[in-house]
């Protein structure tokens, strides 16, 4: 089940953002890269990528409205891009 969800946050359109950076703006305690985190799409669509550095746009998966995805413990990074308009997401620490 994971920990309680954190408050909702907007992923602004047009730029890849680290979900770890976003979760750390919301979490009362720091969340280290490599910790499993999950993201729920509340409004909009986004692209997700697991990798150590900002994606170059060639490898990603869709996250559509009402979808949920999470990275695995030990992953080197977790990235989101709202390609068209801002996306409203919810992030939680899974492990």
């Amino acid at each position: 089940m994971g920990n309680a969800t954190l408050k909702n946050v907007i992923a602004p359109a047009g730029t890849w953002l680290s979900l770890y950076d976003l979760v750390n703006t919301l979490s009362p305690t720091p969340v280290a890269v490599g910790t499993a985190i999950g993201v729920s799409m509340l409004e909009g669509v986004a692209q997700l990528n697991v990798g150590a550095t900002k994606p170059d746009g060639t490898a990603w998966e869709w996250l559509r409205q009402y979808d949920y995805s999470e990275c695995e413990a030990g992953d080197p990074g977790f990235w989101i891009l709202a390609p068209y308009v801002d996306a409203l997401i919810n992030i939680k620490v899974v492990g």
Side-chain angles (χ1 to χ4, degrees):
M1 280 304 227
N3 298 330
T5 57
L6 301 170
K7 73 179 194 175
N8 301 337
V9 64
I10 292 184
T15 187
W16 283 102
L17 299 169
S18 166
L19 284 164
Y20 286 102
D21 289 347
L22 287 176
V23 79
N24 280 323
T25 65
L26 304 171
S27 179
T29 56
V31 177
V33 173
T35 303
I37 58 175
V39 59
S40 298
M41 178 59 67
L42 303 177
E43 293 178 11
V45 296
Q47 298 167 349
L48 294 177
N49 177 277
V50 173
T53 59
K54 185 183 286 192
D56 63 7
T58 59
W60 48 267
E61 294 182 15
W62 281 111
L63 183 69
R64 293 177 172 84
Q65 193 164 356
Y66 310 120
D67 283 351
Y68 172 82
S69 184
E70 57 186 48
C71 67
E72 297 180 10
D75 281 344
F78 198 26
W79 299 83
I80 189 167
L81 168 68
Y84 311 118
V85 296
D86 293 353
L88 180 61
I89 60 173
N90 185 276
I91 308 170
K92 72 177 185 176
V93 177
V94 177

